[in-house]
Amino acid sequence: MTSVCFYFQVHQPFRLRKDYDFFRIGTDSHYEDDEANAGILNKVADKCYRPMNQLLLEEIHRWKGKFRVAFSISGVCLEQMERWTPDVIESFQRLVDTGCVEILSETYYHSLASLFSPDEFIEQIALHRAKVLELFHYDPVVFRNTELIFQDRIATVIEELGYRGMIAEGADRILAWRSPNYLYQPAPCRRMALLLKNYRLSDDIAFRFSNRGWESWPLRSETFASWVHQVAGNGEVINLFMDYETFGEHQWVDTGIFDFMRALPGDVLAHPDFSFATPREVIERYQPIGKLSFPDPVSWADVDRDLTAWLGNSIQDSSAERIYRLEGLVKSLGDPELLHTWRKLQTSDHFYYMCTKWFADGDVHKYFSPYESPYDAHVIYNNVVSDFEETLLRIWNARDKEIDPGSRRSPLLDMAFVD
């Protein structure tokens, strides 16, 4: 029996105000574009979340539990849904209540904390887990890191937290001659399993579906199911991982993507040796066939499938280092609102918008970015961080008068990276 494992990522960042110019520093501490964030969330909800959740619910009922999927929903996205589209939260709750939908764990803020601060990484995982428990009464056992960023040392942290599985990109440079269609184990782990994305089949849906220049356009569900069925005898699990916004937002309704997904469960299940399973069920059903080592970070982004979507050029690196250097100061102040603001400024999208890649990758970054250029994203972000630093300094100075001068540590040490 071969299992098909669908996992959908749901995420929306808190986008910053594009009018936050230099002259607002020190005078205006409202950083986010509430109107744009509400508008985008409602647009995506209308085009994707509401119709696709209803479609999945109907297919789960139609197939009486044989069709199963998994989601990971970032904490910052859940927060926005609670504020502007609470009915979408309820529709996800109805899906989870079927018992056929698994919720994965991730960092609450969809951040790069795994690369900069192990302590902050663990704290954000705990926050997300608590939010999932609160909203869905579900305790995740499988973890997905931001943008599927995976590395041996990250796997070690996740295993120590008690997770039973983690998902990652089935990158060719890691797999070499091996197939992504089996369960593996991270090299440094003893208990935790590793599910790898079959990027070729996943990208047929996520990226190539509406490409009229593609030799397989238009893609029919029976055609895709026949490709899946070709794995019979040569694999145990086909992991189809993609952004949930693929359905209706990236691939518009007039491409036929909803009709495709409505027909797909039946076409896959037409083969008696195929079933659907969630990541938790895959781990329970199969044994790892071997260990895989990821000495360097791998992600699911761009052609390179590394970290260059968020880090690597000077404006990305300086911005990321600047915000993470504030960890000690922010946490020492013990103010929940400041901590929340600092963490929202860690969301990976802020650094994604600063990517200066060209060619196909550059077009994708431009599609998702609200800014005219990566340099605009850098300027706005650093204007906001400058104001945030001034706020921290003002509060620290006020509290500093109440403590022993001999124990003072200048916050300028944390801001030493500032130009």
Side-chain angles (χ1 to χ4, degrees):
M1 180 69 75
T2 302
S3 299
V4 176
C5 179
F6 265 117
Y7 148 70
F8 304 121
Q9 174 63 35
V10 186
H11 169 61
Q12 294 293 332
F14 280 101
R15 297 164 189 83
L16 301 176
R17 292 168 53 185
K18 290 195 289 186
D19 65 348
Y20 201 94
D21 57 28
F22 174 82
F23 299 102
R24 295 186 187 275
I25 299 172
T27 64
D28 187 349
S29 293
H30 187 75
Y31 306 141
E32 293 157 7
D33 190 335
D34 296 333
E35 183 177 352
N37 288 322
I40 291 171
L41 181 63
N42 272 294
K43 181 191 71 169
V44 179
D46 284 342
K47 295 177 71 174
C48 171
Y49 303 150
R50 292 185 178 107
M52 191 60 185
N53 281 6
Q54 182 61 32
L55 186 155
L56 293 180
L57 188 64
E58 291 170 4
E59 291 307 305
I60 286 170
H61 288 316
R62 175 183 302 180
W63 293 101
K64 297 179 170 47
K66 293 181 180 178
F67 180 51
R68 314 172 77 79
V69 301
F71 288 97
S72 185
I73 313 173
S74 69
V76 288
C77 185
L78 288 169
E79 216 174 285
Q80 292 182 73
M81 287 177 178
E82 287 181 297
R83 184 173 176 185
W84 292 306
T85 61
D87 65 298
V88 173
I89 296 267
E90 293 169 4
S91 65
F92 278 113
Q93 290 170 334
R94 285 192 291 274
L95 283 170
V96 175
D97 288 344
T98 65
C100 298
V101 172
E102 178 178 342
I103 301 293
L104 308 190
S105 183
E106 65 169 288
T107 58
Y108 186 101
Y109 294 88
H110 201 80
S111 74
L112 304 177
S114 63
L115 305 172
F116 288 90
S117 170
D119 291 341
E120 175 64 13
F121 181 48
I122 292 170
E123 289 174 30
Q124 290 193 21
I125 293 170
L127 288 170
H128 185 264
R129 194 167 191 165
K131 194 67 174 178
V132 170
L133 272 171
E134 173 197 337
L135 292 177
F136 302 107
H137 308 293
Y138 193 94
D139 191 13
V141 299
V142 177
F143 182 80
R144 64 85 64 188
N145 197 16
T146 303
E147 305 293 345
L148 294 197
I149 294 172
F150 187 88
Q151 191 177 15
D152 286 346
R153 65 175 183 81
I154 297 173
T156 301
V157 173
I158 298 304
E159 184 176 60
E160 289 176 351
L161 292 176
Y163 287 96
R164 295 166 56 191
M166 193 167 172
I167 67 176
E169 175 73 17
D172 290 338
R173 66 178 183 275
I174 298 296
L175 282 167
W177 52 269
R178 304 173 187 84
S179 167
N181 302 325
Y182 290 95
L183 194 64
Y184 290 90
Q185 188 167 64
C189 297
R190 295 186 174 183
R191 301 178 304 278
M192 192 174 74
L194 179 63
L195 290 83
L196 296 176
K197 173 185 168 186
N198 183 317
Y199 73 81
R200 291 183 177 85
L201 287 172
S202 299
D203 292 354
D204 286 340
I205 299 174
F207 298 116
R208 287 183 281 274
F209 186 82
S210 60
N211 181 358
R212 291 173 177 256
W214 182 34
E215 59 186 8
S216 296
W217 183 89
L219 180 61
R220 307 296 185 191
S221 64
E222 57 265 32
T223 303
F224 187 81
S226 71
W227 296 344
V228 167
H229 293 157
Q230 289 174 11
V231 176
N234 295 303
E236 294 177 329
V237 56
I238 301 168
N239 295 310
L240 302 176
F241 301 163
M242 61 198 74
D243 287 335
Y244 197 41
E245 293 78 11
T246 294
F247 304 96
E249 173 66 7
H250 304 163
Q251 308 290 346
W252 291 6
V253 63
D254 60 7
T255 66
I257 191 70
F258 289 101
D259 295 333
F260 172 88
M261 278 303 295
R262 189 176 293 282
L264 190 60
D267 288 329
V268 170
L269 293 171
H271 194 303
D273 294 332
F274 280 77
S275 65
F276 288 93
T278 66
R280 176 198 291 252
E281 293 165 339
V282 168
I283 292 169
E284 293 170 349
R285 189 173 297 176
Y286 305 108
Q287 291 296 315
I289 64 165
K291 286 180 176 280
L292 283 178
S293 178
F294 287 63
D296 300 312
V298 170
S299 78
W300 73 354
D302 296 349
V303 174
D304 298 320
R305 290 179 163 79
D306 56 14
L307 301 181
T308 53
W310 312 276
L311 300 171
N313 70 37
S314 60
I315 59 175
Q316 289 173 312
D317 291 349
S318 63
S319 299
E321 290 174 22
R322 184 177 183 181
I323 197 66
Y324 281 99
R325 285 181 67 94
L326 297 175
E327 178 176 0
L329 176 57
V330 172
K331 291 183 176 178
S332 71
L333 292 175
D335 185 315
E337 286 301 317
L338 290 175
L339 187 59
H340 189 43
T341 299
W342 174 67
R343 285 173 165 164
K344 285 189 285 186
L345 290 171
Q346 296 178 37
T347 299
S348 64
D349 303 68
H350 298 309
F351 313 108
Y352 187 88
Y353 302 147
M354 300 178 201
C355 184
T356 52
K357 289 183 181 180
W358 300 94
F359 305 113
D361 285 344
D363 289 341
V364 175
H365 284 256
K366 187 175 181 180
Y367 171 82
F368 286 106
S369 177
Y371 302 99
E372 294 299 319
S373 77
Y375 306 102
D376 289 346
H378 173 251
V379 169
I380 296 298
Y381 181 83
N382 280 277
N383 284 344
V384 166
V385 175
S386 292
D387 182 81
F388 184 64
E389 287 175 337
E390 284 197 13
T391 301
L392 295 178
L393 190 59
R394 186 169 60 252
I395 295 173
W396 188 88
N397 282 333
R399 295 188 181 182
D400 187 46
K401 296 174 182 176
E402 303 170 1
I403 63 176
D404 178 7
S407 66
R408 287 181 298 183
R409 177 181 183 277
S410 172
L412 293 176
L413 292 173
D414 294 319
M415 300 178 188
F417 197 78
V418 179
D419 294 334

